[in-house]
Amino acid sequence: MSATAVLRSEWIKIWSVRSVAGPLVAVLVSALAIALVTFPNIGREQAATEELDPLFWLYYPLNFVQIAAIAFGATAASSEYLNGALRNSLAAVPRRGLFYGAKALVVGALALAVGVVSGFVMFFTANAFLGEYAIGIGEPGALRSCFGAGLYLALIALFSMGLAFLLRSAVAVLSLLVPFILIVSFVVVGFSEGVAAWLPDRAGQQILYQEHTGPLGPWTGIGVTALWAGAALLAGWWAVRRRDV
Amino acid sequence: MTSIDVRNLTKEYRGRQVTRAVDGLTFRVEPGRVTGFLGPNGAGKSTTMRLVLGLDRPTSGTATVGGRPYVTLAEPLRAVGALLDAQAAHPSRTGRNHLRLLAASNGLPERRVAEVLDETGLADAAGRRIRTYSLGMRQRLGIAAALLGDPGVLMLDEPANGLDPEGIVWIRGLLRRLAAEGRTVLVSSHLMNETSAFADHLVVLGRGRLLADVPTRDFIDAHSQDRVRVRTGDPVRLRAVLRAKGWTVGEAPDGDGRWVVEGASAEEIGAATAREGIPVFELAGERASLEQAYLALTAEAAQFTTRTAASPAASPQEV
């Protein structure tokens, strides 16, 4: 059984279910839409504030965009648990490592591709409304941040996919990760700056900053998020490997 | 040709107590014939099929297809077509996409999708989402998926479930044709009469154990006894004569003067009464129902026996 055949099958799986393809499209659409709503109104005013990293400010829409990435990873996995669809999948591809690896690769690659495009979309859309606060693509960290946003979104999608295979439910993953990213992460910052820096969202977002004051730089930060994603993928793999379906 | 081999297969589920869904099962499903896989609900038929497909892991024992474990097959859909649960498909996909992604995973050509859609009569519904399908259409889609790789082995769990009478005739013909082409066909059911209509061979399970592994013809001969209904003007002499020949005579359940002789044919009774000059008004041979023989076989092994408990509301209350 060839890996390309299994990859093709996983590709069809994603594009043939609206609840999976939808969130992926929503990554790009929300990146543009939220940038268009935010920056013409409060873009310059916020860019003028001292304590805000000027590069990171361009990626303000990412706060919402990453929820779409979470939903994409979660539904790509949980669609296998709807009505026991996994039984069909594993009867067709009984080598579970091949099945799981192909799904992770397709989910990761799609999230990366759409994420990178979204990164550039956020960067240029925001800059269009910032006037004298605009940042050129040639400035330090600018190009890195565009690709970095895509990398970050791909890792978050994989993190979510791994958890969804473990918990067998997109609802469980969304109700775990969305409050975590929107609330818990901010609360932990209040308690301890040191711990918060190592959380999957905070660490990876370092790649979007111009100045690095915390313990992690842009690449070590995204590396920490990659470790989180790797751990979640391993946990999901452990569940797929040993469970009867 | 390929056969399915199950050897000493055991599957235990650990909960508060250990339950054995499949218990030391050994049988072989041969090519070129339809094998009916029978047993009451919970007898272990579906579990056995999942174990053959490597979806569940056995506690002990082996299950192989053509001598190899299913999980080691390179492109398994080309070797084995399985219908386990017609509901097991993502409801938001169209029938065609469901088949396309299965075909893609095993490197099957796209034209096979159109072919099996035609064969199962789903061509017109292929562009609709599976959630809009009736149970019978889902069943047809599951059969289409099983046929996709043109496999030498077919394993179908209750394929007639939800089909209309026309569909049942169709599936019988399909199963007969697949077996005639030399394929190995295993079809589970909990209905004996239905299965005996198309199966050449029977494997009967009860509580995870093998109860019978016999040709259908032999099962029918062994388990369904002949009996004769006779109406006579002289029951006293009839009884005496038949008893002398070793037959027992009982009054027929409907009790309108007919008598039933177990284990005899109409010819034997006709000859005996003629010799003795006993007047006979009616004489009819019949066979005990196959379903009854099957129920008798599985009764002691039955998982879920029906108990008729007195309803509390009906019992008189003392005040």
Side-chain angles (χ1 to χ4, degrees):
Chain A
M1 168 173 290
S2 76
T4 46
V6 181
L7 288 171
R8 268 196 57 208
S9 168
E10 290 300 326
W11 178 271
I12 299 171
K13 274 186 198 172
I14 284 173
W15 293 111
S16 59
V17 173
R18 267 187 215 157
S19 60
V20 181
L24 183 62
V25 174
V27 166
L28 185 58
V29 172
S30 64
L32 181 66
I34 294 164
L36 284 174
V37 169
T38 308
F39 291 97
N41 297 312
I42 56 166
R44 296 168 71 164
E45 176 190 325
Q46 288 287 313
T49 52
E50 279 294 312
E51 63 269 30
L52 203 66
D53 187 292
L55 188 58
F56 186 59
W57 170 236
L58 306 180
Y59 294 99
Y60 171 76
L62 195 72
N63 285 315
F64 308 97
V65 171
Q66 63 185 343
I67 291 168
I70 289 169
F72 171 59
T75 51
S78 71
S79 65
E80 295 285 356
Y81 291 99
L82 203 64
N83 294 350
L86 189 59
R87 249 173 265 145
N88 277 318
S89 297
L90 291 183
V93 185
R95 282 165 58 196
R96 297 188 184 190
L98 186 59
F99 159 78
Y100 191 77
K103 188 173 294 286
L105 195 60
V106 170
V107 166
L110 276 171
L112 181 67
V114 173
V116 167
V117 174
S118 305
F120 280 96
V121 164
M122 284 185 272
F123 182 88
F124 286 112
T125 311
N127 272 315
F129 299 102
L130 288 181
E132 73 267 32
Y133 300 106
I135 296 173
I137 191 76
E139 286 189 45
L143 204 55
R144 181 195 72 209
S145 70
C146 290
F147 284 105
L151 198 54
Y152 172 78
L153 289 169
L155 290 172
I156 288 292
L158 289 174
F159 181 64
S160 164
M161 186 194 110
L163 285 182
F165 268 113
L166 183 67
L167 302 174
R168 286 184 282 188
S169 153
V171 175
V173 171
L174 288 171
S175 51
L176 201 72
L177 287 188
V178 172
F180 177 83
I181 281 186
L182 292 182
I183 302 161
V184 179
S185 180
F186 287 91
V187 174
V188 175
V189 175
F191 279 119
S192 161
E193 222 32 93
V195 173
W198 299 85
L199 294 176
D201 56 332
R202 301 257 150 183
Q205 287 172 12
Q206 288 303 314
I207 205 160
L208 309 173
Y209 282 82
Q210 216 160 32
E211 307 283 336
H212 298 89
T213 51
L216 296 170
W219 296 110
T220 47
I222 203 81
V224 167
T225 300
L227 286 177
W228 280 96
L233 284 174
L234 272 180
W237 165 235
W238 171 80
V240 168
R241 198 182 126 114
R242 69 172 261 297
R243 277 195 194 123
D244 287 342
V245 289
Chain B
M1 278 303 285
T2 38
S3 60
I4 304 171
D5 279 283
V6 170
R7 262 173 224 294
N8 298 317
L9 198 64
T10 296
K11 176 67 179 177
E12 289 176 347
Y13 290 106
R14 291 173 195 287
R16 267 188 304 176
Q17 63 193 45
V18 174
T19 31
R20 280 201 167 179
V22 174
D23 191 356
L25 204 55
T26 300
F27 66 91
R28 161 183 280 217
V29 187
E30 302 275 2
R33 65 191 192 194
V34 179
T35 301
F37 198 26
L38 281 164
N41 292 329
K45 306 182 298 288
S46 301
T47 306
T48 304
M49 288 184 162
R50 282 202 306 276
L51 288 166
V52 171
L53 293 174
L55 296 173
D56 286 10
R57 308 280 186 0
T59 307
S60 63
T62 58
T64 54
V65 178
R68 294 175 60 186
Y70 184 84
V71 293
T72 67
L73 298 173
E75 284 166 339
L77 297 187
R78 292 180 190 267
V80 183
L83 164 73
L84 283 189
D85 175 4
Q87 305 303 318
H90 199 294
S92 307
R93 280 200 184 95
T94 63
R96 179 179 287 111
N97 277 335
H98 175 70
L99 296 173
R100 276 183 63 223
L101 71 89
L102 288 174
S105 69
N106 276 240
L108 303 169
E110 191 94 25
R111 71 177 158 76
R112 282 299 297 159
V113 172
E115 285 170 11
V116 294
L117 282 169
D118 277 338
E119 187 162 0
T120 51
L122 281 177
D124 292 336
R128 277 167 48 193
R129 283 170 206 286
I130 295 168
R131 76 165 90 252
T132 68
Y133 283 19
S134 66
L135 179 57
M137 290 165 80
R138 288 175 198 214
Q139 208 73 30
R140 284 169 185 268
L141 183 65
I143 292 162
L147 296 173
L148 203 54
D150 197 18
V153 176
L154 283 130
M155 217 161 52
L156 310 173
D157 199 359
E158 313 246 354
N161 208 356
L163 291 181
D164 52 18
E166 188 198 350
I168 289 173
V169 171
W170 167 75
I171 186 86
R172 278 185 196 171
L174 178 71
L175 295 171
R176 298 293 328 154
R177 201 197 77 213
L178 293 167
E181 288 167 357
R183 298 176 213 255
T184 305
V185 184
L186 182 66
V187 184
S188 85
S189 172
H190 58 273
L191 299 173
M192 182 67 190
N193 278 341
E194 163 65 27
T195 307
S196 65
F198 58 78
D200 308 295
H201 197 87
L202 298 174
V203 171
V204 186
L205 294 193
R207 283 205 149 166
R209 295 211 179 126
L210 189 68
L211 297 180
D213 181 359
V214 290
T216 310
R217 193 69 252 164
D218 291 3
F219 185 89
I220 292 171
D221 289 347
H223 290 281
S224 61
Q225 251 192 338
D226 283 332
R227 62 179 178 189
V228 175
R229 276 167 187 261
V230 53
R231 193 156 73 89
T232 173
D234 193 349
V236 180
R237 268 183 67 211
L238 175 77
R239 190 181 295 231
V241 165
L242 296 183
R243 222 176 243 166
K245 292 189 179 288
W247 283 308
T248 53
V249 185
E251 197 166 353
D254 42 14
D256 56 354
R258 290 186 179 83
W259 301 84
V260 174
V261 190
E262 297 286 351
S265 69
E267 289 83 354
E268 291 170 317
I269 302 300
T273 49
R275 269 198 306 275
E276 300 292 333
I278 301 170
V280 168
F281 310 139
E282 256 178 67
L283 183 65
E286 58 181 40
R287 301 203 103 171
S289 133
L290 198 55
E291 203 71 43
Q292 279 169 6
Y294 160 67
L295 286 175
L297 179 68
T298 57
E300 55 194 278
Q303 286 278 53
F304 306 106
T305 36
T306 320
R307 289 196 188 85
T308 37
S311 126
S315 58
Q317 301 240 324
E318 285 186 359
V319 184

